[in-house]
């Protein structure tokens, strides 16, 4: 899952994981914030560090998929080239790019961590969507609009995409 901060990636991911596990599917979530506190704690927010963040995560996800897990990855992943790299690490049909989309104004209104407010005050540099670019997917496998669709409806569409 890719999208701006506050678009709903983590919320949708958590509910999706609950649904998968309730069906007996072995599933695990990789969340950008969590990995940045551990595996990727040495990375900052330069373009190169953001790319390395995605590279490492794609490799971990691939290993987990090889072990038989459904892996739900929720990262901002602002660059198309990084998302294409991640897709290239998987066999065809084993990677789905899901664009969790909400207008910047909606994401800022939600602002669950207060990051947009800090960026607007000049206290946070390189905020995706403010002073660091976000390259929206051109042809995602699924495009969800969280400003118009409710979370459970979004999860249902993902479940249909996964055919589970």
């Amino acid at each position: 899952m890719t999208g701006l901060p506050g678009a709903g990636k983590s919320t949708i991911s958590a509910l999706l994981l609950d649904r998968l596990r309730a069906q007996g599917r072995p599933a695990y979530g990789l969340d950008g914030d969590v990995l940045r506190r551990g595996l990727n704690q040495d990375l900052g927010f330069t373009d190169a560090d953001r790319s390395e963040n995605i590279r490492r995560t794609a490799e971990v996800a691939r290993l987990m998929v090889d072990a038989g897990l459904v892996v739900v990855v929720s990262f901002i992943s602002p660059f198309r080239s990084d998302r294409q790299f991640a897709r290239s690490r998987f066999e065809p049909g084993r990677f789905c790019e899901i664009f969790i989309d909400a207008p910047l104004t909606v994401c800022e209104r939600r602002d669950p961590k207060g990051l947009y407010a800090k960026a607007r005050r000049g206290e946070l540099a390189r905020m995706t969507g403010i002073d660091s670019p976000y390259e929206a997917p051109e042809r995602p496998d699924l495009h969800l609009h969280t400003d118009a669709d409710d979370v459970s409806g979004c999860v249902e569409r993902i479940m249909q995409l996964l055919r589970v």
Side-chain angles (χ1 to χ4, degrees):
M1 294 183 207
T2 179
L4 287 171
K9 297 177 301 298
S10 295
T11 302
I12 291 170
S13 175
L15 186 56
L16 176 61
L17 288 164
D18 288 345
R19 288 277 308 272
L20 290 165
R21 291 172 183 147
Q23 290 184 352
R25 303 286 306 254
Y28 192 83
L30 295 175
D31 183 83
D33 290 338
V34 173
L35 265 70
R36 279 192 173 274
R37 288 192 298 265
L39 177 67
N40 296 335
Q41 68 182 335
D42 61 321
L43 301 174
F45 292 92
T46 65
D47 290 355
D49 282 353
R50 289 174 190 254
S51 292
E52 177 62 12
N53 187 34
I54 298 307
R55 187 196 71 75
R56 289 180 191 178
T57 302
E59 296 300 338
V60 169
R62 186 179 58 81
L63 293 170
M64 296 174 93
V65 166
D66 289 349
L69 295 168
V70 175
V71 182
V72 178
V73 179
S74 54
F75 273 61
I76 296 167
S77 191
F79 305 124
R80 286 184 195 110
S81 60
D82 294 336
R83 295 190 302 267
Q84 183 56 42
F85 167 80
R87 182 183 294 273
S88 76
R89 301 302 298 144
F90 294 85
E91 295 296 321
R94 305 290 291 179
F95 180 101
C96 298
E97 181 181 51
I98 301 171
F99 182 20
I100 309 298
D101 191 7
L104 180 60
T105 55
V106 171
C107 294
E108 286 191 75
R109 191 169 51 246
R110 291 174 180 163
D111 203 6
K113 300 173 199 154
L115 299 177
Y116 286 109
K118 287 181 182 179
R120 294 288 187 197
R121 290 191 306 265
E123 298 170 6
L124 179 66
R126 304 205 39 81
M127 174 69 181
T128 304
I130 303 296
D131 60 350
S132 186
Y134 178 78
E135 299 170 350
E138 294 175 330
R139 289 178 300 283
D141 298 294
L142 184 61
H143 188 162
L144 301 173
H145 299 271
T146 61
D147 59 317
D149 299 325
D150 68 356
V151 173
S152 60
C154 290
V155 170
E156 187 56 39
R157 289 189 58 203
I158 296 169
M159 295 293 285
Q160 290 171 4
L161 174 70
L162 300 176
R163 296 179 194 102
V164 294

